[in-house]
Amino acid sequence: MLRGILSPIRTTSCWISCRTVRQRCCPCCPAPTALGPGHASSRRGRSVDFEVDFNADYGETEQQPRQHERKSRSAKANAAAAAAAAAGPGATLAHHCRETFETFKLENASLYVGLQLMFPSLAPAIRLLATYLPDANQRRIMTARSAVNAISRRLISQWDDAVNGGDAGNVKEAVDATVTVAAAPSGGAAAAAAAAAAGAKDMAEAAEKMAKAGPVGNGWRTVTADGRHRGVGGGTTMSSSPFREVGGGVSGSSFLAAMLEGRKGAEGPLTDLEVVAQSVTFILASYETSSTTTSMALLLLATHPGAQRRLLDEVERTGDRELTVELLGELPYTEAVLKETMRLYPAVPTMFRHARNDICLEHGQVVPSGTFLVMPTFNLHHDPTLWPQHDRFIPERFLPSTSTGGGGGGSDGGGEGGGGIGVLGSSHPAAWAGFGIGARMCVGHKLAMMIGKATLVSVLRRFSLSPVPGQPLPPAMATGLTFGPREGVWLQLGSRQTPVPELAA
Ligand code: HEM
């Protein structure tokens, strides 16, 4: 029903927004160009069903019936919550962040979300009702958010205690938690799941260690095979960091710690609530997006042995050098893999804007001031007029090339790689919007790219990838605020001594 309520709003916004890219993205749009796969079977009222008939190219892998068992959703949720609670505050925080994302999905949205969209002028009254008479979905999001708030406040007070000479054990818990959350987007979860699917304890342990490799301060922290931490990168070393080194070599220079340190002596310092709000924004903006992108990249590599082989060549050229910022800047194919993954599977499938003035479009249409715009990144990325062989996974289209002078790297060229892009890339500067476009584009895009590259290199250095047999391909996708695999990504990790089967010949 909610879908029914929302769809007229979405199709209207969609009609307006898709004019900007000269793309007919759904039947409500008059331009007679070909449809993208996400909308191939769209009808009025179903314009956001990206998973319908989605047919991205999965290389040589046959589609097979699913073999692994599906647990019921509630059993899975309970088990996940219990496991997270047992694993400590970092995992609990990550769990509740995931819960928050679940509630962003249309099927899990509270009735009040629909009402607010239908009657924006009544928003204050609707919010009040939602607070005092929550429906089941509203209760779910309230529980998740208050858990995130409570854990964050606990970490803040532990941090404060420690900085003021409190209990170092508690600091370690606080720091571990922030590091766990910072590291979670690095795809460790996907790698750990893959390792678990492969049933190899040592691989699971290695994956877990990789998951702990996360960004720290100005540089990077990696974890060696034996689990020792090393500070790397061109920035501040841990010992010269303004933050105390605590908890067995784990630096406290996380985003949360930076805010807590930064408010000392500042005029009008951030309140605890503001620190929590900022942290939540960053966790929510970074967690699911980075995790989904890295997981999908690993799946695409597993199902495209040619691309995996080429990436491996690039990874092998890095030897066992530490993953410095400089090294990560020298990986054009790794970057191309991530960009092509984000083209096929944009973790944020739509962008939203509010027109502050009348906007004149190319063909004479005017978007009146005050219009709420929904810009479908997914359709932009699958437009055959912009992307030749649009449904195929071809990282080469993002390789630096002198043959075309196009963009395809976002509003700032993506920040990495530079130069033109390959012949199958788009020559339109706004054709690729994996991190958004314009002044409000993703503030974490450079970090996200580094996380993605570091994860792919770390995984490929140790493992070869192949899909778990029976996994449905393409995977069922769930659309909400983000766009990701509904049932996760399942991979088999082979030892690098054993080549990927498809590559052996
Ligand atoms: C692969 C990973 C990521 C993807 C695909 C992604 C994508 C996006 C997109 C599409 C937007 C909206 C841009 C727009 O409306 O034009 C956005 C906004 C944002 N992202 Fe990311 N993001 C990623 C990782 C991160 C990370 C790691 C962080 C933080 C460390 C982050 C922080 C933010 C914030 C704070 C915003 C809101 C910016 C604003 O409204 O001004 N993102 N991101």
Side-chain angles (χ1 to χ4, degrees):
M1 190 189 83
L2 187 59
R3 247 171 225 223
I5 295 172
L6 292 179
S7 50
I9 299 172
R10 284 176 183 270
T11 46
T12 308
S13 319
C14 193
W15 184 87
I16 294 168
S17 60
C18 68
R19 324 308 319 141
T20 60
V21 292
R22 284 170 291 159
Q23 178 192 6
R24 182 186 192 233
C25 72
C26 48
C28 55
C29 308
T33 52
L35 301 176
H39 277 49
S41 65
S42 295
R43 295 181 295 277
R44 185 181 283 274
R46 297 197 62 189
S47 68
V48 290
D49 279 348
F50 293 129
E51 66 267 37
V52 175
D53 281 357
F54 180 59
N55 192 27
D57 165 40
Y58 274 86
E60 296 82 345
T61 306
E62 293 282 318
Q63 290 197 25
Q64 295 167 22
R66 156 177 259 141
Q67 284 167 2
H68 58 268
E69 289 197 0
R70 280 192 202 184
K71 291 184 187 170
S72 80
R73 197 173 117 185
S74 60
K76 266 200 297 189
N78 291 344
T92 316
L93 200 49
H95 170 76
H96 289 293
C97 287
R98 289 200 74 86
E99 270 289 284
T100 308
F101 265 99
E102 281 294 307
T103 60
F104 286 154
K105 291 177 187 162
L106 269 191
E107 64 263 33
N108 297 334
S110 160
L111 178 68
Y112 292 111
V113 174
L115 287 176
Q116 271 199 67
L117 284 172
M118 296 277 291
F119 309 107
S121 54
L122 297 181
I126 294 170
R127 273 202 287 270
L128 217 70
L129 274 176
T131 310
Y132 292 104
L133 284 176
D135 60 4
N137 286 331
Q138 179 67 20
R139 264 199 303 279
R140 190 174 172 196
I141 190 166
M142 284 163 79
T143 307
R145 288 194 168 182
S146 71
V148 170
N149 191 345
I151 296 166
S152 306
R153 282 171 181 275
R154 183 170 132 208
L155 296 176
I156 291 174
S157 84
Q158 286 174 1
W159 184 269
D160 280 344
D161 283 354
V163 169
N164 299 325
D167 175 6
N170 279 345
V171 176
K172 179 167 174 0
E173 189 189 38
V175 172
D176 278 352
T178 51
V179 167
T180 305
V181 172
S186 68
K201 185 168 170 293
D202 57 341
M203 288 184 193
E205 280 169 6
E208 197 186 318
K209 283 174 191 164
M210 280 189 288
K212 287 184 179 163
V216 167
N218 300 339
W220 284 77
R221 181 174 62 80
T222 58
V223 182
T224 57
D226 61 2
R228 283 180 294 112
H229 300 286
R230 290 182 299 195
V232 296
T236 314
T237 62
M238 291 193 184
S239 53
S240 65
S241 158
F243 307 114
R244 296 194 321 174
E245 184 177 320
V246 287
V250 179
S251 168
S253 49
S254 61
F255 178 70
L256 176 58
M259 278 197 298
L260 294 175
E261 288 289 320
R263 67 180 178 171
K264 279 189 197 156
E267 262 182 56
L270 295 176
T271 63
D272 280 3
L273 187 61
E274 285 163 341
V275 168
V276 171
Q278 290 292 337
S279 304
V280 167
T281 299
F282 270 78
I283 291 171
L284 293 186
S286 65
Y287 179 82
E288 190 77 4
T289 48
S290 304
S291 155
T292 296
T293 301
T294 319
S295 304
M296 295 311 295
L298 291 171
L299 179 65
L300 286 163
L301 288 168
T303 50
H304 293 78
Q308 190 181 150
R309 179 71 249 165
R310 187 160 181 184
L311 181 59
L312 193 56
D313 287 346
E314 183 166 276
V315 169
E316 277 176 347
R317 283 197 293 275
T318 68
D320 60 356
R321 285 160 65 199
E322 287 181 331
L323 296 179
T324 58
V325 173
E326 291 74 21
L327 177 63
L328 294 176
E330 295 165 12
L331 302 171
Y333 196 72
T334 317
E335 183 175 321
V337 164
L338 287 167
K339 283 186 172 168
E340 179 68 342
T341 302
M342 290 166 71
R343 186 186 67 78
L344 283 171
Y345 295 98
V348 181
T350 38
M351 290 180 287
F352 305 95
R353 292 291 188 274
H354 191 247
R356 294 167 66 184
N357 308 302
D358 287 358
I359 302 169
C360 296
L361 303 180
E362 273 178 35
H363 302 292
Q365 295 102 329
V366 175
V367 178
S369 168
T371 307
F372 179 59
L373 295 166
V374 179
M375 295 177 281
T377 308
F378 182 95
N379 297 71
L380 180 65
H381 285 185
H382 289 78
D383 183 347
T385 63
L386 291 168
W387 300 99
Q389 301 182 44
H390 63 98
D391 56 352
R392 291 184 62 82
F393 176 66
I394 307 176
E396 284 72 12
R397 61 174 108 235
F398 287 103
L399 283 181
S401 153
T402 49
S403 56
T404 62
S411 63
D412 72 348
E416 290 85 18
I421 58 174
V423 285
L424 293 178
S426 171
S427 58
H428 196 291
W432 190 88
F435 289 117
I437 292 177
R440 300 306 295 264
M441 80 174 284
C442 178
V443 292
H445 72 281
K446 285 182 187 287
L447 174 62
M449 267 294 176
M450 288 197 285
I451 291 172
K453 286 183 191 174
T455 306
L456 293 189
V457 172
S458 303
V459 171
L460 266 283
R461 274 180 177 177
R462 295 166 178 81
F463 305 118
S464 57
L465 308 168
S466 52
V468 167
Q471 178 178 195
L473 294 173
M477 302 295 283
T479 308
L481 195 62
T482 54
F483 179 61
R486 193 182 290 279
E487 302 287 340
V489 158
W490 296 78
L491 300 176
Q492 279 181 333
L493 304 185
S495 152
R496 278 286 310 284
Q497 270 69 47
T498 324
V500 183
E502 293 91 332
L503 304 179

